[in-house]
Amino acid sequence: MENIEQDIKKVLFSEQQIAERCETLGKEITEDYAKTGRAPLVVALLRGSVPFLAELIKHIHLDIQYDFMDVTSYEGTESIGDIKIIKDLDTSVKDLDILLVEDIVDTGKTIQSVNELMLHKGAASVKVVTLLDKPSRRVVDVKPEYVGFEVENEFVVGFGMDFNQHFRCLPYVGVLKDECYQ
Ligand code: 5GP
Ligand code: MG
């Protein structure tokens, strides 16, 4: 059985750095929503955001509920509102404040489409919290309200993020050795 850690070229964000950042983000989110007097429905996008969700909600001191959605973008289409829903929410979003949880915002198409979908279904507001942001790759004009860390244009794995479904269980975010992609 292979040890997946030997495929990692470098660690970008350690387990401790991620934990500390989640604590800060959780506090900010708590304060922002406490001002409105309304706790959000936290909507996590499967599967990559699960470890981030688990770490973050320890530090959101509000009576939140959370639910999951799994979406994928339609290949070969330019239009923005086009996502395929693999798993829909069990909860109605009508009149609720939605906090979308993503692992990484890259082109921005996924969160933009889900954002539009939530508003179309009657959500009162939509905000986005993402562990990682890759602004240099953006093709649509979206800006997550809460960002853990910015990353360069580099493919990352770990803390929920995969390469061909592997590496999700690493407790840190890192970059794979070049030979892993061959
Ligand atoms: P977007 O719609 O913003 O282009 O895509 C976001 C999704 O692409 C993320 O939720 C994630 O699943 C995937 N993604 C983008 N960049 C990376 C990366 O560097 N590593 C991994 N593992 N997934 C990525
Ligand atoms: Mg994703």
Side-chain angles (χ1 to χ4, degrees):
M1 188 81 135
E2 199 201 342
N3 173 10
I4 57 171
E5 306 228 9
Q6 73 197 18
D7 292 332
I8 300 296
K9 180 164 74 180
K10 63 176 173 189
V11 175
L12 292 182
F13 306 107
S14 69
E15 192 172 356
Q16 193 187 340
Q17 282 176 298
I18 295 170
E20 285 171 8
R21 191 70 190 111
C22 287
E23 186 172 348
T24 307
L25 284 175
K27 272 190 196 147
E28 272 181 52
I29 290 167
T30 303
E31 284 168 15
D32 289 352
Y33 283 95
K35 281 180 209 151
T36 71
R38 288 156 56 98
L41 171 66
V42 176
V43 171
L45 299 182
L46 294 171
R47 304 173 202 169
S49 69
V50 169
F52 178 45
L53 173 77
E55 190 60 36
L56 183 69
I57 58 172
K58 294 183 201 170
H59 306 288
I60 301 180
H61 303 294
L62 301 165
D63 183 20
I64 57 159
Q65 298 188 14
Y66 61 79
D67 198 351
F68 297 94
M69 231 181 136
D70 192 3
V71 301
T72 175
S73 50
Y74 282 116
E75 297 292 313
T77 167
E78 292 291 295
S79 65
I80 283 158
D82 270 330
I83 44 168
K84 187 168 148 193
I85 298 171
I86 311 284
K87 187 223 168 283
D88 206 349
L89 297 172
D90 295 330
T91 320
S92 163
V93 301
K94 189 149 175 32
D95 300 326
L96 297 181
D97 296 309
I98 304 300
L99 180 62
L100 291 179
V101 182
E102 248 296 33
D103 49 1
I104 179 163
V105 178
D106 187 38
T107 66
K109 286 184 180 181
T110 305
I111 56 158
Q112 188 176 65
S113 300
V114 176
N115 195 313
E116 284 174 3
L117 185 66
M118 296 293 112
L119 293 172
H120 180 75
K121 289 184 169 190
S125 73
V126 185
K127 284 185 172 187
V128 177
V129 57
T130 185
L131 176 63
L132 302 178
D133 189 11
K134 248 190 225 180
S136 64
R137 290 258 309 160
R138 206 73 95 245
V139 301
V140 292
D141 185 22
V142 290
K143 207 167 176 298
E145 279 77 7
Y146 307 97
V147 173
F149 305 96
E150 275 194 11
V151 286
E152 302 291 312
N153 185 8
E154 204 169 26
F155 191 82
V156 299
V157 296
F159 208 73
M161 287 167 285
D162 73 309
F163 176 58
N164 292 339
Q165 299 303 329
H166 295 279
F167 305 103
R168 290 192 196 274
C169 64
L170 289 173
Y172 51 79
V173 173
V175 179
L176 290 175
K177 289 179 182 164
D178 300 334
E179 58 261 36
C180 297
Y181 300 111
Q182 278 137 33

